[in-house]
Amino acid sequence: MKDNPFLLALAIVLLWYSVDKLQGNMDLRIKEEIRLEQRIKALEDRTNSLDWKIERVENKIDN
């Protein structure tokens, strides 16, 4: 490779592309993880709201 600067340049470009691609994949995974955490939080909030409503109905029935 030392004798052929074209091959060296090609290797550098391919390495840069690979690292850039890996970084892009990591960014997508992080965004997906954040989206899933937000969805879990929304579902937990919904569950808590439904539990509270069920409790109110049960209390009305008991009284």
Side-chain angles (χ1 to χ4, degrees):
M1 255 195 232
K2 291 181 182 179
D3 297 336
N4 193 337
F6 175 75
L7 287 179
L8 180 60
L10 181 61
I12 291 170
V13 168
L14 289 175
L15 179 62
W16 173 79
Y17 176 77
S18 297
V19 170
D20 190 53
K21 187 87 168 155
L22 286 172
Q23 183 64 41
N25 288 343
M26 290 287 288
D27 290 346
L28 288 176
R29 283 187 174 171
I30 290 169
K31 287 177 184 176
E32 180 67 12
E33 186 175 332
I34 291 170
R35 189 184 70 75
L36 289 173
E37 287 174 355
Q38 291 171 341
R39 189 170 177 195
I40 289 169
K41 175 73 172 117
L43 289 171
E44 288 172 345
D45 291 347
R46 179 74 175 144
T47 300
N48 290 338
S49 174
L50 290 173
D51 287 344
W52 178 77
K53 289 177 182 177
I54 290 169
E55 249 181 72
R56 276 185 45 201
V57 170
E58 286 174 343
N59 287 338
K60 285 183 180 180
I61 292 171
D62 289 343
N63 291 333

